Amino acid sequence: MSTITLLTDFGLKDTYVGLMKGVILSVNPDAVIIDITHHVDPHDLRQAAFIIKSSYRYFPAGSVHVIVVDPGVGSRRAIVALTMMGQTFLAPDNGILTLIVDEGDIDAIVRVENSDYFLKAVSQTFHGRDIFAPVAAHISLGVDLERLGTPIAKKDLVLIRISKPYVGKKDELVGTIVSIDRFGNCITNIDSDCLAAFINAGKSKKLQVAIGQSKINGLSLNYESASLQSPMAIIGSSGYLEIAVDCGSARRYLGAAKGDAVHLILSN
Amino acid sequence: MSTITLLTDFGLKDTYVGLMKGVILSVNPDAVIIDITHHVDPHDLRQAAFIIKSSYRYFPAGSVHVIVVDPGVGSRRAIVALTMMGQTFLAPDNGILTLIVDEGDIDAIVRVENSDYFLKAVSQTFHGRDIFAPVAAHISLGVDLERLGTPIAKKDLVLIRISKPYVGKKDELVGTIVSIDRFGNCITNIDSDCLAAFINAGKSKKLQVAIGQSKINGLSLNYESASLQSPMAIIGSSGYLEIAVDCGSARRYLGAAKGDAVHLILSN
Amino acid sequence: MSTITLLTDFGLKDTYVGLMKGVILSVNPDAVIIDITHHVDPHDLRQAAFIIKSSYRYFPAGSVHVIVVDPGVGSRRAIVALTMMGQTFLAPDNGILTLIVDEGDIDAIVRVENSDYFLKAVSQTFHGRDIFAPVAAHISLGVDLERLGTPIAKKDLVLIRISKPYVGKKDELVGTIVSIDRFGNCITNIDSDCLAAFINAGKSKKLQVAIGQSKINGLSLNYESASLQSPMAIIGSSGYLEIAVDCGSARRYLGAAKGDAVHLILSN
């Protein structure tokens, strides 16, 4: 039980991530630390919530996932540790875990309060280094969650509203772009189950995806199966519908941005 | 045999690299994973071919090098694993290994097909996570290449044309800028052996390097030996001729770009 | 004694960092390598000096800190290794250690000259890979500093002038912005001790911080305690005064840049 993942909005320009790793290794020299990414858009809790939901299952059993997107650092927001599915999630209690809590049965949740497991001097602006890092290292060493603070119930967790796809007028399915990757692929909040249910309800009708002024007919199976330089709709590797352009950028092609609506229409 | 290197065009903004590492550790918890770089220009097979050629020798014996610059992901392109010089290279069969295959004697090549070593669910868009990562981890655990798929011959590998320096009219040696680094140093495809042969053929003549409108006289031995803020020609750390500006950027100074020609002239 | 940290201006776009890690692991397969950051502004010795001073204490006892911001690579500048406070610092002798040498008692300093611990072929442009990496790995294996080269005295080290806060006319305390982080927080060279002494001298007077055309009244305790979207002055996590904007960028708000002056005024 020694893999610790880091998911933050700290970027890699500064020393924030390096110092967290130094503190972790000072507590547990055998910890294996993996960066999920440090480029969550600053303070974007919803993006972080999507990322951890679609990432955790690819890490070893016993992993400790440390999520620090924390605009409320230094305020009274709590820090929580949650164990489920054989993994532990350590995060500010600000809604980042909203999409995790329904992934399975929760074994334990605590509000992290025991400063015996913090650095001796805790700053008001960098709990990542002073609280999250040493607490995660102690968890990876086998410290029981209950020693870290007060057990709380699932209903006590702060949750945030994360927009879900909905059926709009004219029986359209309306989703949202939640993330755009390095290649310009635009990832929506429409997962494959939701898409399958929508398509099946339309029986033999044909799918059309509308985004801005562009319309895409049908789903592609892989990046190469669409026409070169034309946008395609495809179920991406995280299990969500995405709009992509083979050997190009859907973001640039469509002038798309995070938060843009994507409309799915079934017609004959 | 537990060092696994990653060379991709995934960047570090998204979770692609983090998920590959999670999968590797899930298979081999003792793997030591090193990033060569994830900032290959998207889909630039030639740049990746240069990088792996000039990098592999700096890694421990037994290293497994995973190269994922893979515009054909999800299509019928094969995946190959190749062992030579005590190291293993795992890559799409798209020409990325073109410069590696002549570096020494090849011990084995296989087309990777055995899905026992893949993740159970293989997506059509992210073989880095679903195939390359688990296969690399199994290789690092000692799985024999022949268990991964069908042995093939060197001549069966896809190779790509990578432009080499050539002698042009007026006995010029003409090379190309293949990469520009963070400092603005412009790295060419002219290696030190090629340069030495060209210079020796000219006997006591003097070397001049022409790039765009700029002319550089002679070779510098280190960055400080040229005039401050003037371009110099120098054999860089990867063994190739590069154009640099001490305490400045040759890219900006020259307005240079990847693909630009560099002319070497010998005169009295 | 196996944690090795890297602090460079190499960035992550190129292979420089990856190759250093390959060389380290080739010498010491058990080394745990942590990136402090590779995004020091190119050739900015003062920024690197601040970073290592405010970082080292968060790493395990016995760590080896490798600092490569090295505009003089290939020239006659020396390389030094310095042990103090149970940690070792390996750096070019160009002033990068100026702020470290007064942090505690120095146990040993040597000029690194013994090429037995270098790569066999040493380039003129990349000592990070060819000298720093293998030497750091040997130190992490327990090689005594004295085997690496000639012992020197503290007074033999190259030091650089690093501007300190000073009391200007009208009894202002004048500092400088030395670094701006990803969030736009502007970090000054005024540490908490210096600030406390200045405030205490003014007795019951009120603190005002002036930067450019903006004036900030009083100190904030955490990011949330100031008005939203207004600049605040706060002691940041590295122990220095910084100017921040909650959920915004002080850099953009103030149009601030590295090197800008910050004036502290006490009035009734």
Side-chain angles (χ1 to χ4, degrees):
Chain A
M1 192 158 108
S2 67
T3 300
I4 296 177
T5 78
L6 304 180
L7 172 61
T8 79
D9 61 355
F10 290 156
L12 292 173
K13 173 173 140 25
D14 308 303
T15 62
Y16 301 121
V17 173
L19 298 187
M20 286 184 67
K21 293 179 179 176
V23 171
I24 289 171
L25 291 177
S26 298
V27 175
N28 181 1
D30 295 323
V32 175
I33 308 168
I34 298 293
D35 304 302
I36 294 185
T37 178
H38 298 288
H39 291 88
V40 172
D41 292 331
H43 304 156
D44 191 336
L45 305 179
R46 282 165 185 81
Q47 195 186 40
F50 266 100
I51 288 175
I52 192 61
K53 184 198 170 188
S54 55
S55 296
Y56 75 88
R57 68 174 58 87
Y58 294 101
F59 290 88
S63 291
V64 181
H65 301 287
V66 183
I67 311 159
V68 193
V69 179
D70 192 13
V73 60
S75 72
R76 293 199 182 177
R77 68 93 185 85
I79 294 173
V80 291
L82 182 161
T83 299
M84 60 192 294
M85 304 166 294
Q87 307 202 352
T88 301
F89 301 83
L90 179 67
D93 186 22
N94 60 11
I96 281 184
L97 299 179
T98 296
L99 296 177
I100 283 291
V101 294
D102 291 327
E103 287 284 295
D105 292 332
I106 295 175
D107 294 314
I109 319 178
V110 299
R111 195 167 280 147
V112 176
E113 292 157 336
N114 187 346
S115 61
D116 291 353
Y117 297 102
F118 303 172
L119 287 198
K120 274 175 201 158
V122 172
S123 70
Q124 291 299 305
T125 57
F126 191 10
H127 287 182
R129 177 193 65 194
D130 303 335
I131 301 181
F132 289 94
V135 167
H138 284 291
I139 295 172
S140 76
L141 285 170
V143 167
D144 210 77
L145 287 207
E146 283 169 23
R147 297 181 59 183
L148 299 175
T150 320
I152 60 173
K154 179 176 168 181
K155 69 172 175 45
D156 298 325
L157 285 173
V158 172
L159 299 182
I160 50 178
R161 227 180 65 84
I162 293 183
S163 67
K164 293 183 180 168
Y166 63 93
V167 176
K169 40 185 180 174
K170 302 187 217 160
D171 293 331
E172 293 177 356
L173 180 66
V174 185
T176 304
I177 296 176
V178 291
S179 193
I180 299 184
D181 75 8
R182 158 172 165 94
F183 300 96
N185 299 322
C186 301
I187 295 117
T188 74
N189 62 348
I190 302 172
D191 70 22
S192 52
D193 289 347
C194 170
L195 180 66
F198 177 70
I199 291 176
N200 288 338
K203 288 171 185 170
S204 59
K205 290 182 177 171
K206 288 174 187 158
L207 179 71
Q208 193 176 59
V209 177
I211 170 167
Q213 302 304 311
S214 295
K215 288 194 165 48
I216 302 164
N217 289 309
L219 275 184
S220 295
L221 289 178
N222 59 55
Y223 291 138
E224 285 214 327
S225 62
S227 318
L228 208 67
Q229 303 295 349
S230 296
M232 72 187 88
I234 185 169
I235 294 293
S237 61
S238 58
Y240 288 87
L241 182 74
E242 62 183 62
I243 315 300
V245 168
D246 186 30
C247 293
S249 162
R251 180 180 58 76
R252 276 201 299 272
Y253 187 99
L254 300 167
K258 214 169 59 167
D260 282 1
V262 176
H263 295 257
L264 275 61
I265 307 138
L266 290 172
S267 58
N268 291 308
Chain B
M1 193 158 107
S2 67
T3 299
I4 296 177
T5 77
L6 305 180
L7 172 61
T8 79
D9 61 355
F10 290 157
L12 292 173
K13 173 173 142 21
D14 307 304
T15 62
Y16 301 122
V17 172
L19 298 187
M20 286 184 67
K21 293 179 180 176
V23 172
I24 288 171
L25 290 177
S26 298
V27 175
N28 180 1
D30 295 323
V32 174
I33 308 168
I34 299 293
D35 304 301
I36 294 187
T37 178
H38 299 289
H39 292 88
V40 172
D41 292 331
H43 304 155
D44 190 336
L45 305 180
R46 283 165 185 81
Q47 193 185 42
F50 267 101
I51 287 174
I52 192 62
K53 184 199 171 188
S54 55
S55 297
Y56 75 89
R57 69 174 59 87
Y58 294 101
F59 289 88
S63 292
V64 180
H65 301 288
V66 183
I67 311 160
V68 192
V69 179
D70 192 13
V73 60
S75 71
R76 291 195 183 182
R77 68 94 186 83
I79 293 173
V80 291
L82 181 161
T83 299
M84 60 191 294
M85 304 166 294
Q87 306 202 351
T88 301
F89 301 83
L90 179 67
D93 187 22
N94 60 10
I96 280 184
L97 299 179
T98 297
L99 297 177
I100 282 290
V101 293
D102 291 327
E103 287 282 296
D105 292 333
I106 295 174
D107 295 313
I109 319 177
V110 298
R111 194 168 281 146
V112 176
E113 293 158 335
N114 187 347
S115 61
D116 290 353
Y117 297 101
F118 303 172
L119 287 198
K120 272 175 201 159
V122 172
S123 71
Q124 291 298 306
T125 57
F126 191 11
H127 287 182
R129 179 193 65 195
D130 303 336
I131 301 181
F132 289 94
V135 168
H138 283 292
I139 295 172
S140 77
L141 285 170
V143 167
D144 210 77
L145 286 207
E146 283 169 24
R147 297 181 60 183
L148 299 175
T150 319
I152 60 173
K154 178 176 168 182
K155 69 174 174 44
D156 298 326
L157 286 173
V158 172
L159 299 182
I160 50 178
R161 228 181 64 84
I162 293 184
S163 66
K164 293 184 179 169
Y166 63 92
V167 176
K169 40 184 179 175
K170 304 184 217 162
D171 293 331
E172 292 178 355
L173 181 67
V174 185
T176 305
I177 296 176
V178 292
S179 194
I180 299 184
D181 75 7
R182 158 172 166 93
F183 299 96
N185 300 322
C186 300
I187 295 116
T188 74
N189 62 347
I190 302 172
D191 70 21
S192 52
D193 289 347
C194 171
L195 180 66
F198 178 70
I199 290 177
N200 289 339
K203 288 169 186 171
S204 59
K205 289 183 178 171
K206 287 174 186 157
L207 179 70
Q208 192 176 58
V209 177
I211 170 167
Q213 302 304 312
S214 295
K215 289 194 164 47
I216 301 165
N217 289 309
L219 274 184
S220 296
L221 289 178
N222 60 55
Y223 292 138
E224 287 214 327
S225 61
S227 318
L228 207 67
Q229 303 295 350
S230 295
M232 73 187 88
I234 185 169
I235 294 293
S237 61
S238 59
Y240 288 87
L241 182 74
E242 62 184 61
I243 315 299
V245 169
D246 186 31
C247 292
S249 163
R251 180 180 58 75
R252 276 202 298 273
Y253 187 99
L254 300 167
K258 214 170 57 168
D260 282 1
V262 177
H263 295 257
L264 276 61
I265 308 137
L266 290 172
S267 56
N268 291 308
Chain C
M1 191 158 108
S2 66
T3 299
I4 296 177
T5 78
L6 304 180
L7 171 61
T8 79
D9 61 354
F10 289 157
L12 292 173
K13 173 173 142 24
D14 308 304
T15 62
Y16 301 122
V17 172
L19 298 188
M20 286 185 67
K21 293 178 179 176
V23 171
I24 288 171
L25 291 177
S26 298
V27 174
N28 180 3
D30 295 323
V32 174
I33 308 169
I34 299 294
D35 304 301
I36 295 186
T37 179
H38 299 289
H39 292 88
V40 173
D41 292 331
H43 305 157
D44 190 337
L45 304 180
R46 283 165 183 81
Q47 194 185 41
F50 266 100
I51 288 174
I52 192 62
K53 184 199 170 188
S54 55
S55 296
Y56 75 88
R57 69 174 60 87
Y58 294 101
F59 289 88
S63 291
V64 181
H65 302 287
V66 183
I67 311 159
V68 192
V69 179
D70 192 12
V73 61
S75 72
R76 292 197 183 180
R77 67 94 186 84
I79 293 173
V80 292
L82 181 161
T83 299
M84 61 192 295
M85 303 166 293
Q87 307 204 351
T88 299
F89 301 83
L90 179 67
D93 186 21
N94 60 11
I96 280 184
L97 299 178
T98 296
L99 296 177
I100 283 291
V101 292
D102 291 326
E103 287 283 295
D105 293 332
I106 295 175
D107 295 315
I109 318 177
V110 298
R111 195 167 280 147
V112 176
E113 293 157 335
N114 187 346
S115 62
D116 290 355
Y117 297 101
F118 303 173
L119 287 198
K120 273 175 202 160
V122 172
S123 70
Q124 292 299 305
T125 57
F126 191 12
H127 288 183
R129 178 194 65 195
D130 303 336
I131 300 181
F132 289 94
V135 167
H138 283 291
I139 294 172
S140 77
L141 284 170
V143 167
D144 210 77
L145 287 207
E146 283 168 25
R147 297 182 58 184
L148 299 175
T150 319
I152 60 173
K154 180 177 167 181
K155 69 173 173 46
D156 297 327
L157 285 174
V158 172
L159 299 182
I160 50 178
R161 228 180 64 83
I162 294 184
S163 66
K164 292 184 181 169
Y166 63 92
V167 176
K169 42 185 180 174
K170 302 186 220 162
D171 293 330
E172 291 177 357
L173 180 67
V174 185
T176 305
I177 296 177
V178 292
S179 194
I180 299 183
D181 76 8
R182 159 172 164 94
F183 299 96
N185 300 322
C186 300
I187 295 117
T188 74
N189 61 347
I190 302 173
D191 70 21
S192 52
D193 290 346
C194 171
L195 180 66
F198 177 71
I199 290 176
N200 290 337
K203 288 169 185 172
S204 60
K205 289 182 177 171
K206 287 174 187 158
L207 178 71
Q208 193 176 58
V209 177
I211 170 169
Q213 302 304 312
S214 294
K215 288 193 165 50
I216 301 164
N217 289 309
L219 275 184
S220 296
L221 289 178
N222 59 55
Y223 292 139
E224 286 213 327
S225 61
S227 317
L228 208 66
Q229 302 294 349
S230 296
M232 73 187 87
I234 185 169
I235 294 293
S237 61
S238 58
Y240 289 87
L241 182 74
E242 63 183 61
I243 315 299
V245 169
D246 186 31
C247 293
S249 162
R251 179 180 59 74
R252 276 202 299 273
Y253 187 98
L254 301 167
K258 215 169 59 168
D260 283 1
V262 177
H263 296 257
L264 275 61
I265 307 138
L266 290 172
S267 58
N268 292 307

